[in-house]
Amino acid sequence: MTVGALRRYVPSLALFGALLLIWQVVPPLLRIREYLLPGPIAVVRAALNFSIPWHAHIWITTLEILGGFALAGLGGVALGVAIAWSETTARALVPFLVVVNTLPKVAVAPLFLLWLGYGVVPNVLIAALIGFFPVVINTAVGLTQIDEELLDLGRVFGAPKWKVFVKIRLPNALPYVLSALKITATAAVVGAIVGEFVASQAGLGMVIVTAQTNLNTPVAFAALGWISIIGLTLYGAVGLATRWWAPWADTT
Amino acid sequence: MIVLDGVGMTYRAASGEVEALRSISFRVEGGELVALVGPSGCGKSTLLRIIAGLRPATTGRVAVDGRAVGGPIPAVGMVFQAPVLLKWRRVVENVLLAAELAGLDPGQFRARAHEFLRLVGLGDFADKLPRELSGGMQQRAALCRALLLDPPLLLMDEPFGALDAMTRDELNLELLRVWGEGSRTRKTIVFVTHSIPEAVFLADRVVVLTPRPGRVAAIVPVPLPRPRTVETRASPDFGALALQIHQRLAGAA
Ligand SMILES: Nc1ncnc2c1ncn2[C@@H]1O[C@H](COP(=O)(O)OP(=O)(O)O)[C@@H](O)[C@H]1O
Ligand SMILES: [Mg+2]
């Protein structure tokens, strides 16, 4: 990264710094107690206080987010392909998927826990359930929103359906899928944390619930910071993947 | 050999019907180069698609090499009016797509693909993405793709429409070489253009279409000697033929 590129971030970094300063200085002046709104220094101290087993919680939550993300991605692409493959599969699947998607997933979480017990698996499933729908839709759209002449090209050269699918439709869908995965990255974080809220023995969501009951607000904020770092990293990775795998797509 | 017998085409859309072609009848002999001229919207692109078997005609019959056309015909090279390149593939990979889609080993055609790209002046652009090329360059890449498998029949829809006059003249000469002007085994070519000089320079015969719905207004033979050269354009016969086609077009309007 060049100095010029770094200079682009100066305004946002300056704003960030100013907000941190206000956050640190103003609440004590207004006599706001730490258990209501801890300052940034207290939060960072909590985040780096390794008498709390942060690495274990981060590991569990990351596992749930990545598992949910991967499941939503693979399952979403598979369902999108099935929908785009033929009228019949589309008619069979779409109403079912719409029903599943309109369910309030948060309300389903307790059922998953009931069926699958505590642990990583139910939270992975909740994360996947919250994140998979955009992938289905974008995959189906990317596979079907295609220049009619590109399909004519396949017919001119006598290509079988599967070959047109692999060589023309799938690459055409890739930018659509990747842009859906950005939404999924965010949704998977929500899903994993929701699952941990409902019931769990480990993970950053559980840390927040416990800290809240103990009025240990700096720790809750610290957990929030760790969650946000995981989320941003995943989101950034999808962005990088888009630039790497779909450089032709006009994304910003 | 292509036989068109009373071919008509009416597009049906929610907004209504559009009659694009009406009772088109003519033949294209094997090894012949026929140019198709007509005002824009008269159904030239539609007619090429019908010959290729990409769209069924609403009326009439089409036969290629004695077989009635009922679906995409084999062994045809097609240049669409738009380049129709895969934007995620480098130029040479776009050319090789012809082999891949046809179920052939692209590796065997790589040298040939590069040779064609050099021929049309894209030698240095083989590894670029389509968006890095101008419209005219993209169209030349599409031409290479159509030629890659050496098809005996070429259907070309304004392939040089986006090119400057000089490049177009050069590529016209190149096309005649590829066609086999100097040899006995010539390809059959149907060439759509809106340039009368281009039609006269290339063709054995020029089919003039009327405005929509397209009908055959005239079929003008072009008895200019072959091989055609730069001097061909300067000959008095060339001018006379161009004028004649111009009048047929104007008369049909
Ligand atoms: N897919 C389509 N659906 C409806 N109308 C069409 C379609 N394609 C072409 N047309 C109409 O048919 C007519 C002939 O089109 P086209 O064959 O593209 O003409 P040309 O190539 O001579 O300019 C035009 O009026 C056009 O609007
Ligand atoms: Mg056209």
Side-chain angles (χ1 to χ4, degrees), chain A residues 186-222:
Chain A
T186 320
V189 176
V190 175
I193 299 302
V194 162
E196 292 180 356
F197 276 2
V198 174
S200 61
Q201 290 151 329
L204 294 166
M206 185 224 69
V207 170
I208 291 179
V209 175
T210 318
Q212 180 211 16
T213 11
N214 302 336
L215 293 184
N216 193 352
T217 318
V219 169
F221 267 78

Short mmCIF file of all heavy atoms in Angstrom, two decimals, chain A residues 186-222:
data_model
loop_
_atom_site.label_atom_id
_atom_site.label_comp_id
_atom_site.label_asym_id
_atom_site.label_seq_id
_atom_site.Cartn_x
_atom_site.Cartn_y
_atom_site.Cartn_z
N THR A 186 -22.49 -11.40 6.63
CA THR A 186 -23.07 -10.64 7.73
C THR A 186 -24.16 -11.45 8.44
O THR A 186 -24.23 -11.48 9.67
CB THR A 186 -23.71 -9.34 7.18
OG1 THR A 186 -22.84 -8.82 6.18
CG2 THR A 186 -23.91 -8.33 8.27
N ALA A 187 -25.00 -12.13 7.65
CA ALA A 187 -26.12 -12.88 8.22
C ALA A 187 -25.62 -14.04 9.08
O ALA A 187 -26.21 -14.35 10.12
CB ALA A 187 -27.03 -13.39 7.11
N ALA A 188 -24.53 -14.67 8.65
CA ALA A 188 -24.00 -15.81 9.41
C ALA A 188 -23.55 -15.37 10.80
O ALA A 188 -23.72 -16.12 11.78
CB ALA A 188 -22.85 -16.47 8.65
N VAL A 189 -23.00 -14.17 10.90
CA VAL A 189 -22.60 -13.65 12.21
C VAL A 189 -23.83 -13.49 13.09
O VAL A 189 -23.86 -13.96 14.24
CB VAL A 189 -21.88 -12.28 12.05
CG1 VAL A 189 -21.56 -11.70 13.42
CG2 VAL A 189 -20.60 -12.46 11.24
N VAL A 190 -24.87 -12.89 12.54
CA VAL A 190 -26.12 -12.72 13.30
C VAL A 190 -26.63 -14.08 13.77
O VAL A 190 -26.97 -14.26 14.94
CB VAL A 190 -27.20 -12.02 12.43
CG1 VAL A 190 -28.52 -11.96 13.19
CG2 VAL A 190 -26.74 -10.64 12.03
N GLY A 191 -26.66 -15.05 12.85
CA GLY A 191 -27.20 -16.37 13.17
C GLY A 191 -26.44 -17.04 14.30
O GLY A 191 -27.05 -17.57 15.24
N ALA A 192 -25.12 -17.01 14.20
CA ALA A 192 -24.31 -17.68 15.22
C ALA A 192 -24.55 -17.05 16.59
O ALA A 192 -24.71 -17.75 17.60
CB ALA A 192 -22.83 -17.60 14.83
N ILE A 193 -24.61 -15.72 16.63
CA ILE A 193 -24.79 -15.04 17.92
C ILE A 193 -26.19 -15.29 18.48
O ILE A 193 -26.37 -15.53 19.68
CB ILE A 193 -24.53 -13.52 17.75
CG1 ILE A 193 -23.08 -13.29 17.29
CG2 ILE A 193 -24.78 -12.78 19.05
CD1 ILE A 193 -22.01 -13.84 18.18
N VAL A 194 -27.18 -15.26 17.59
CA VAL A 194 -28.55 -15.56 18.03
C VAL A 194 -28.61 -16.94 18.67
O VAL A 194 -29.17 -17.13 19.75
CB VAL A 194 -29.55 -15.47 16.84
CG1 VAL A 194 -30.85 -16.19 17.17
CG2 VAL A 194 -29.83 -14.02 16.51
N GLY A 195 -27.99 -17.91 18.00
CA GLY A 195 -27.96 -19.27 18.53
C GLY A 195 -27.32 -19.30 19.91
O GLY A 195 -27.83 -19.94 20.84
N GLU A 196 -26.24 -18.56 20.08
CA GLU A 196 -25.56 -18.55 21.38
C GLU A 196 -26.39 -17.83 22.45
O GLU A 196 -26.34 -18.19 23.63
CB GLU A 196 -24.19 -17.89 21.24
CG GLU A 196 -23.22 -18.72 20.42
CD GLU A 196 -21.85 -18.07 20.27
OE1 GLU A 196 -21.67 -16.93 20.74
OE2 GLU A 196 -20.97 -18.72 19.69
N PHE A 197 -27.14 -16.83 22.00
CA PHE A 197 -28.03 -16.14 22.95
C PHE A 197 -29.05 -17.10 23.54
O PHE A 197 -29.35 -17.09 24.71
CB PHE A 197 -28.78 -15.01 22.23
CG PHE A 197 -28.00 -13.72 22.13
CD1 PHE A 197 -26.71 -13.62 22.62
CD2 PHE A 197 -28.57 -12.60 21.53
CE1 PHE A 197 -25.99 -12.45 22.53
CE2 PHE A 197 -27.86 -11.42 21.43
CZ PHE A 197 -26.58 -11.33 21.94
N VAL A 198 -29.62 -17.93 22.64
CA VAL A 198 -30.71 -18.80 23.07
C VAL A 198 -30.21 -19.79 24.12
O VAL A 198 -30.83 -19.97 25.16
CB VAL A 198 -31.33 -19.52 21.87
CG1 VAL A 198 -32.36 -20.55 22.34
CG2 VAL A 198 -31.98 -18.51 20.93
N ALA A 199 -29.10 -20.41 23.83
CA ALA A 199 -28.51 -21.31 24.81
C ALA A 199 -27.16 -21.77 24.32
O ALA A 199 -27.04 -22.17 23.17
CB ALA A 199 -29.41 -22.54 25.02
N SER A 200 -26.15 -21.66 25.14
CA SER A 200 -24.85 -22.20 24.75
C SER A 200 -23.93 -22.18 25.96
O SER A 200 -24.20 -21.50 26.95
CB SER A 200 -24.26 -21.38 23.62
OG SER A 200 -24.09 -20.05 24.06
N GLN A 201 -22.86 -22.93 25.84
CA GLN A 201 -21.90 -22.99 26.95
C GLN A 201 -20.62 -22.26 26.62
O GLN A 201 -19.75 -22.14 27.46
CB GLN A 201 -21.60 -24.46 27.28
CG GLN A 201 -22.79 -25.13 27.92
CD GLN A 201 -22.84 -26.61 27.64
OE1 GLN A 201 -22.38 -27.06 26.59
NE2 GLN A 201 -23.40 -27.38 28.54
N ALA A 202 -20.50 -21.81 25.38
CA ALA A 202 -19.29 -21.09 24.99
C ALA A 202 -19.60 -20.20 23.81
O ALA A 202 -20.65 -20.30 23.20
CB ALA A 202 -18.17 -22.09 24.64
N GLY A 203 -18.68 -19.31 23.50
CA GLY A 203 -18.85 -18.42 22.36
C GLY A 203 -19.05 -16.99 22.80
O GLY A 203 -19.41 -16.72 23.96
N LEU A 204 -18.82 -16.07 21.88
CA LEU A 204 -18.85 -14.65 22.22
C LEU A 204 -20.28 -14.20 22.57
O LEU A 204 -20.46 -13.30 23.39
CB LEU A 204 -18.29 -13.82 21.06
CG LEU A 204 -16.79 -14.06 20.81
CD1 LEU A 204 -16.35 -13.50 19.46
CD2 LEU A 204 -15.95 -13.46 21.94
N GLY A 205 -21.28 -14.82 21.95
CA GLY A 205 -22.67 -14.48 22.29
C GLY A 205 -22.98 -14.85 23.73
O GLY A 205 -23.65 -14.09 24.44
N MET A 206 -22.48 -16.00 24.14
CA MET A 206 -22.68 -16.41 25.52
C MET A 206 -21.96 -15.46 26.48
O MET A 206 -22.48 -15.13 27.54
CB MET A 206 -22.18 -17.84 25.73
CG MET A 206 -22.46 -18.36 27.12
SD MET A 206 -21.06 -19.24 27.86
CE MET A 206 -19.90 -17.93 28.12
N VAL A 207 -20.77 -15.01 26.09
CA VAL A 207 -20.02 -14.06 26.92
C VAL A 207 -20.86 -12.81 27.15
O VAL A 207 -20.95 -12.29 28.27
CB VAL A 207 -18.67 -13.69 26.25
CG1 VAL A 207 -18.02 -12.53 26.99
CG2 VAL A 207 -17.75 -14.90 26.22
N ILE A 208 -21.54 -12.34 26.08
CA ILE A 208 -22.36 -11.14 26.22
C ILE A 208 -23.50 -11.37 27.19
O ILE A 208 -23.76 -10.55 28.08
CB ILE A 208 -22.90 -10.70 24.83
CG1 ILE A 208 -21.74 -10.20 23.97
CG2 ILE A 208 -23.97 -9.61 24.98
CD1 ILE A 208 -22.13 -9.76 22.59
N VAL A 209 -24.18 -12.51 27.03
CA VAL A 209 -25.32 -12.80 27.92
C VAL A 209 -24.84 -12.86 29.37
O VAL A 209 -25.45 -12.25 30.27
CB VAL A 209 -25.98 -14.13 27.52
CG1 VAL A 209 -27.07 -14.50 28.52
CG2 VAL A 209 -26.56 -14.03 26.12
N THR A 210 -23.73 -13.56 29.63
CA THR A 210 -23.21 -13.69 31.00
C THR A 210 -22.80 -12.34 31.55
O THR A 210 -23.12 -11.99 32.70
CB THR A 210 -21.99 -14.64 31.02
OG1 THR A 210 -22.28 -15.75 30.18
CG2 THR A 210 -21.70 -15.12 32.41
N ALA A 211 -22.08 -11.57 30.72
CA ALA A 211 -21.60 -10.26 31.18
C ALA A 211 -22.77 -9.35 31.52
O ALA A 211 -22.72 -8.58 32.48
CB ALA A 211 -20.73 -9.62 30.09
N GLN A 212 -23.81 -9.48 30.73
CA GLN A 212 -24.99 -8.64 30.97
C GLN A 212 -25.62 -8.96 32.32
O GLN A 212 -25.95 -8.06 33.10
CB GLN A 212 -25.98 -8.87 29.83
CG GLN A 212 -27.25 -8.06 29.93
CD GLN A 212 -28.42 -8.79 29.33
OE1 GLN A 212 -28.36 -10.00 29.11
NE2 GLN A 212 -29.48 -8.08 29.06
N THR A 213 -25.75 -10.28 32.61
CA THR A 213 -26.34 -10.65 33.90
C THR A 213 -25.48 -10.18 35.06
O THR A 213 -26.01 -9.84 36.11
CB THR A 213 -26.55 -12.18 34.01
OG1 THR A 213 -25.87 -12.80 32.93
CG2 THR A 213 -28.01 -12.55 33.98
N ASN A 214 -24.16 -10.13 34.86
CA ASN A 214 -23.27 -9.70 35.94
C ASN A 214 -23.02 -8.20 35.92
O ASN A 214 -22.18 -7.71 36.67
CB ASN A 214 -21.90 -10.39 35.83
CG ASN A 214 -22.05 -11.90 35.87
OD1 ASN A 214 -23.04 -12.41 36.40
ND2 ASN A 214 -21.09 -12.59 35.28
N LEU A 215 -23.70 -7.48 35.03
CA LEU A 215 -23.47 -6.05 34.85
C LEU A 215 -22.01 -5.74 34.55
O LEU A 215 -21.49 -4.70 34.91
CB LEU A 215 -23.93 -5.27 36.09
CG LEU A 215 -25.43 -5.29 36.35
CD1 LEU A 215 -25.76 -4.40 37.54
CD2 LEU A 215 -26.20 -4.83 35.13
N ASN A 216 -21.34 -6.71 33.91
CA ASN A 216 -19.93 -6.50 33.54
C ASN A 216 -19.88 -5.97 32.10
O ASN A 216 -19.45 -6.64 31.18
CB ASN A 216 -19.18 -7.82 33.68
CG ASN A 216 -17.67 -7.61 33.62
OD1 ASN A 216 -17.22 -6.51 33.31
ND2 ASN A 216 -16.93 -8.67 33.90
N THR A 217 -20.33 -4.74 31.95
CA THR A 217 -20.54 -4.20 30.60
C THR A 217 -19.26 -4.07 29.76
O THR A 217 -19.30 -4.29 28.56
CB THR A 217 -21.26 -2.84 30.69
OG1 THR A 217 -22.29 -2.96 31.67
CG2 THR A 217 -21.89 -2.47 29.37
N PRO A 218 -18.11 -3.73 30.35
CA PRO A 218 -16.89 -3.67 29.50
C PRO A 218 -16.63 -5.00 28.79
O PRO A 218 -16.23 -5.01 27.62
CB PRO A 218 -15.78 -3.36 30.51
CG PRO A 218 -16.46 -2.64 31.61
CD PRO A 218 -17.82 -3.25 31.72
N VAL A 219 -16.88 -6.11 29.46
CA VAL A 219 -16.65 -7.41 28.83
C VAL A 219 -17.64 -7.62 27.68
O VAL A 219 -17.29 -8.13 26.61
CB VAL A 219 -16.76 -8.54 29.87
CG1 VAL A 219 -16.80 -9.91 29.19
CG2 VAL A 219 -15.59 -8.47 30.83
N ALA A 220 -18.90 -7.20 27.87
CA ALA A 220 -19.88 -7.32 26.80
C ALA A 220 -19.43 -6.51 25.58
O ALA A 220 -19.48 -7.00 24.44
CB ALA A 220 -21.25 -6.83 27.27
N PHE A 221 -18.97 -5.29 25.83
CA PHE A 221 -18.47 -4.46 24.72
C PHE A 221 -17.26 -5.11 24.05
O PHE A 221 -17.14 -5.10 22.83
CB PHE A 221 -18.08 -3.07 25.24
CG PHE A 221 -19.19 -2.07 25.13
CD1 PHE A 221 -20.23 -2.07 26.05
CD2 PHE A 221 -19.21 -1.14 24.12
CE1 PHE A 221 -21.27 -1.16 25.97
CE2 PHE A 221 -20.24 -0.22 24.01
CZ PHE A 221 -21.27 -0.22 24.95
N ALA A 222 -16.39 -5.69 24.84
CA ALA A 222 -15.19 -6.33 24.29
C ALA A 222 -15.59 -7.50 23.39
O ALA A 222 -15.06 -7.66 22.28
CB ALA A 222 -14.29 -6.82 25.42
#
